[in-house]
Amino acid sequence: MSRSDLTEAAGRLSACRRIVVFTGAGVSAESGIPTFRGEGGIWEKYDPDVFGNIPGLGQVWLTQPQRLLDFITDALDTFLAAQPNAAHLVIGKAEAAGRIRAVVTQNVDDLHERGGTRTVFKLHGDLYTLRCLRCGRSGPLDRGRMERIRDQLDGMRSGRLAILKKLWEIMPRCGECEGLTRPDVVFFGESLPANVLRQAEEETRSCDAFLIVGTSGVVYPAALLPKLARSRGALVVEVNREASPYTEMSDFSFFGPAGSIVPELIPESPRPA
Ligand SMILES: [Zn+2]
């Protein structure tokens, strides 16, 4: 990456008013949420074949409630501690300034929203939304409630039956029918929310620039979006830790931390193109 390339890419982007930003685990990793499969990630400690789907989690609840307790505690600690980084913040500001149309993300955290972005299409769902297992209604799980659940987990450390019972008590219920709820995220084997994917495709089809941040593009169908942008003639800019399947199709690729590169690409006061 050379300084002149960065200046040139920023100049080209400053002329764009319909930028779509496509983000993945890399941008959240810089905020303290390790990529699930990466070093220190949650799948290093918990088998994704068991903990990565609802039937598996239900089975763990019944047979090893202590393990489920540990899993939920680890997950909540990680997500509650994360703070938006410079990339999230500058993206939020560029949206407010009318330069960015939407963020399409594969992350289930709330860092883009907390970074000020209003239009976020979450392809893999939202950890801060609960869906009723009985009636299907969705409702928000605000951070305060998540923190209270986290606090309650600390009190239960012994006895399989006691933990099982206590978990049953503190699991969030549906506001309508009192049914058990689940996080509205896409688990393994589940399909992406069709309406979200359709809206993301629509924005991508009409964007003038497509900015890839922190995603190496192996998970379909999300991985098709950069190709769609490219085929529609959009400027494609990539920010990743290392070369990816997107590098070849990108007009510019920058390798390094999103938190330092993205603010250079979409500065708060862009120079006129
Ligand atoms: Zn319900």
Side-chain angles (χ1 to χ4, degrees), residues 140-159:
L141 171 65
D142 62 69
R143 292 177 70 81
R145 196 169 166 203
M146 204 183 256
E147 278 162 5
R148 285 195 297 280
I149 292 173
R150 170 65 191 87
D151 288 345
Q152 287 176 295
L153 294 174
D154 265 345
M156 28 172 163
R157 283 289 159 195
S158 62

Side-chain angles (χ1 to χ4, degrees), residues 19-176:
I19 303 174
V20 168
V21 184
F22 178 52
T23 67
V27 72
S28 293
E30 289 174 37
S31 287
I33 302 175
T35 57
F36 281 25
R37 288 192 184 281
E39 200 178 319
I42 204 139
W43 300 142
E44 218 175 44
K45 221 165 144 186
Y46 302 95
D47 181 0
D49 289 338
V50 176
F51 290 85
N53 62 79
I54 294 290
L57 287 170
Q59 193 64 28
V60 175
W61 185 352
L62 292 175
T63 56
Q64 298 171 277
Q66 179 70 53
R67 279 291 282 166
L68 182 63
L69 182 63
D70 293 342
F71 175 70
I72 299 174
T73 303
D74 279 350
L76 291 183
D77 280 349
T78 301
F79 282 92
L80 285 170
Q83 298 294 336
N85 63 54
H88 295 109
L89 296 172
V90 81
I91 289 167
K93 284 182 179 142
E95 188 205 36
R99 303 179 59 205
I100 287 177
R101 285 288 294 270
V103 169
V104 177
T105 188
Q106 298 162 90
N107 302 332
V108 299
D109 58 59
D110 59 351
L111 295 173
H112 281 300
E113 291 93 328
R114 286 166 65 210
T117 305
R118 280 165 301 175
T119 305
V120 185
F121 297 113
K122 304 180 97 163
L123 296 176
H124 293 171
D126 184 1
L127 190 68
Y128 296 83
T129 299
L130 294 170
R131 192 166 82 234
C132 178
L133 287 164
R134 191 191 286 162
C135 75
R137 278 193 181 81
S138 296
L141 171 65
D142 62 69
R143 292 177 70 81
R145 196 169 166 203
M146 204 183 256
E147 278 162 5
R148 285 195 297 280
I149 292 173
R150 170 65 191 87
D151 288 345
Q152 287 176 295
L153 294 174
D154 265 345
M156 28 172 163
R157 283 289 159 195
S158 62
R160 192 180 82 88
L161 275 178
I163 294 171
L164 200 143
K165 184 164 167 281
K166 189 73 183 166
L167 277 174
W168 176 259
E169 281 168 21
I170 67 164
M171 285 286 166
R173 304 301 161 116
C174 172
E176 292 290 328

